[in-house]
Amino acid sequence: MKEVECQVCRAKNRVDRYRVRAQARCGRCGSFLLEPSWVAVARNAYRYRYQIAAAAVAVAGVAVYQQWGESPRVTRPESDWAPPSPPNFAVKVAPPSQDRSHGADLARLQPSALVMTCVPVAVTSGSFKIYTHQRGVAPLKLTTPAGGDNYLVKLVKAGTKNVVMSAYVSAGDTQTFKVPLGSYEIYYAQGKVWCGEKESFGRGSTRLVRLAGNFEFTKQGNSFVGHEIELIEQIAGNLRSEEVSDDEFASLVPAGPADGQDVSGGK
């Protein structure tokens, strides 16, 4: 027990202990008695305990976020990584078209400021060459991505290495060709600067690709059915492709004498 003097009436008061819930008062005048500073601190802490607890939780949450919220996280083990699959291309059957002769659609030349790996050859988008006496009748519509490469597309008779038709389409263009009836595999070369069928787009600058499956060009009644192919990589594309070697692409040879506008720049 401790004796404390009132600062107002000077009366002596006996204080057995200090309490955080209430401050001791003078028994004569009722004034608050002096008490150690730590008691006042403890009383304030008790009075505002809920606010202090909420602030502590908030500070802890900020600390956890700063440590973990912005750090990189592994979504799968590194051992599960696999190289990306070949790109898909959207393809759909073109509507039947009536029989009419095909004329080459001339388009602008595609300039390039790249370092040349071969001798450039002038060619127009829509140029084509048919290596058979059969007339082109079924539609083949080709669309290429804007701002990308130029394409040389080859239609190869299924099960052989015989090229029936070659067609050139510049970047960002759409061209429709008339194809002889039959079943074909489709190969293509892509690049920036055209150097003729022998060099394509230059050694080391040409990408060679084969589209999966065979493509049927048929006649239904008085109409002809072909294909419409977008050579644009798409997430929901439904046509697979794979790159081929220089030797495999070079093994593709014309099926016969040429007819049509030469993709090497002449007639």
Side-chain angles (χ1 to χ4, degrees), residues 215-226:
F215 296 80
E216 306 292 335
F217 293 83
T218 59
K219 182 177 181 180
Q220 294 182 358
N222 295 325
S223 301
F224 300 94
V225 178

Side-chain angles (χ1 to χ4, degrees), residues 87-91 232-240:
N88 293 332
F89 296 95
V91 58
I232 303 173
E233 296 182 11
Q234 301 181 32
I235 295 177
N238 57 0
L239 180 61
R240 307 292 297 177

Side-chain angles (χ1 to χ4, degrees), residues 4-14 25-34:
V4 180
E5 182 181 37
C6 178
Q7 298 298 308
V8 178
C9 66
R10 300 300 178 179
K12 302 293 184 179
N13 294 271
R14 293 179 180 179
R25 292 176 178 270
C26 176
R28 177 184 294 176
C29 68
S31 299
F32 287 110
L33 298 177
L34 292 179

Side-chain angles (χ1 to χ4, degrees), residues 32-87:
F32 287 110
L33 298 177
L34 292 179
E35 58 186 5
S37 59
W38 65 267
V39 178
V41 172
R43 181 176 296 110
N44 289 331
Y46 177 80
R47 180 180 300 171
Y48 300 106
R49 60 188 182 278
Y50 297 114
Q51 292 87 336
I52 294 174
V57 171
V59 171
V62 171
V64 170
Y65 176 79
Q66 289 179 342
Q67 182 175 0
W68 300 102
E70 298 179 354
S71 61
R73 287 166 287 179
V74 178
T75 57
R76 63 178 181 177
E78 185 177 354
S79 59
D80 290 343
W81 181 90
S85 59

Side-chain angles (χ1 to χ4, degrees), residues 114-177:
L114 300 176
V115 176
M116 304 301 181
T117 59
C118 56
V119 179
V121 176
V123 61
T124 55
S125 184
S127 299
F128 71 98
K129 202 176 214 182
I130 295 179
Y131 300 96
T132 176
H133 294 300
Q134 291 181 276
R135 189 160 53 96
V137 290
L140 172 60
K141 185 178 181 180
L142 299 174
T143 301
T144 59
D149 293 336
N150 305 311
Y151 290 78
L152 172 71
V153 178
K154 292 190 176 186
L155 275 69
V156 180
K157 186 176 181 180
T160 73
K161 296 295 183 180
N162 297 329
V163 179
V164 174
M165 181 176 178
S166 297
Y168 183 90
V169 183
S170 298
D173 195 11
T174 297
Q175 294 287 339
T176 300
F177 303 92

